[in-house]
């Protein structure tokens, strides 16, 4: 089985930074795409960022463009989310997701990924 373990969440003041990590482990497998989603209280889960494992393509939600950066270590099947200039509205549980297959056309929706992490809380305070 594939397991995704996230880390790096926490409490930060507005304007601050955090770096989330997500490591995939389990049986040897190839990853095609990796993504980050978030869910704030009372809201639906929403797309944040996605990256092809090759690093040739990345994409961001408009709300985080220019502030967040998705990167990865393809050899380790690890994906990172560097979050800068954090805002109150960035408060949410952040989930990483992985697709073994080419579902890049669906990178912005949950169906684009087969495996999900357990989530890590990010709280931005004023």
């Amino acid at each position: 089985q594939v397991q995704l373990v996230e880390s790096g969440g926490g409490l930060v003041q507005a304007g601050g930074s955090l770096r989330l990590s997500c490591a995939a482990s389990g049986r040897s497998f190839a990853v095609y795409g990796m993504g980050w989603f978030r869910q704030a209280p009372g809201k639906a889960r929403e797309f944040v960022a996605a990256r092809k494992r090759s690093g040739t393509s990345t994409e961001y939600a408009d709300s985080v463009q220019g502030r967040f950066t998705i990167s990865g270590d393809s050899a380790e099947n690890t994906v990172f989310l560097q979050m800068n200039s954090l805002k109150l509205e960035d408060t949410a549980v952040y989930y990483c997701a992985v697709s073994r297959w080419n579902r890049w056309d669906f990178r912005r929706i949950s169906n684009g990924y087969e495996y999900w992490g357990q989530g890590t809380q990010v709280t931005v305070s004023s």
Side-chain angles (χ1 to χ4, degrees):
Q1 261 305 350
V2 175
Q3 291 183 324
L4 302 181
V5 179
E6 297 142 341
S7 60
L11 175 64
V12 64
Q13 285 190 326
S17 299
L18 281 176
R19 188 187 194 219
L20 306 183
S21 300
C22 175
S25 64
R27 293 173 56 189
S28 177
F29 66 98
V31 169
Y32 187 91
M34 307 179 90
W36 288 95
F37 287 72
R38 68 186 181 186
Q39 187 167 17
K43 295 187 177 180
R45 187 173 297 187
E46 65 175 3
F47 168 77
V48 174
R51 177 183 186 273
K52 288 185 179 178
R53 184 186 184 217
S54 64
T56 54
S57 296
T58 58
E59 190 163 310
Y60 299 90
D62 289 345
S63 59
V64 306
Q65 181 77 48
R67 300 187 297 120
F68 290 12
T69 302
I70 186 170
S71 61
D73 181 338
S74 58
E76 299 294 329
N77 278 344
T78 302
V79 64
F80 307 98
L81 186 68
Q82 178 66 43
M83 305 185 294
N84 298 328
S85 302
L86 283 161
K87 303 177 181 180
L88 296 179
E89 52 264 41
D90 294 320
T91 295
V93 177
Y94 284 70
Y95 299 89
C96 70
V98 162
S99 172
R100 294 181 59 188
W101 315 111
N102 182 357
R103 297 183 178 181
W104 190 246
D105 286 349
F106 305 101
R107 57 195 176 277
R108 287 179 168 262
I109 61 176
S110 299
N111 286 349
Y113 305 89
E114 300 98 62
Y115 303 101
W116 291 80
Q118 80 286 355
T120 185
Q121 177 71 45
V122 172
T123 302
V124 183
S125 65
S126 59

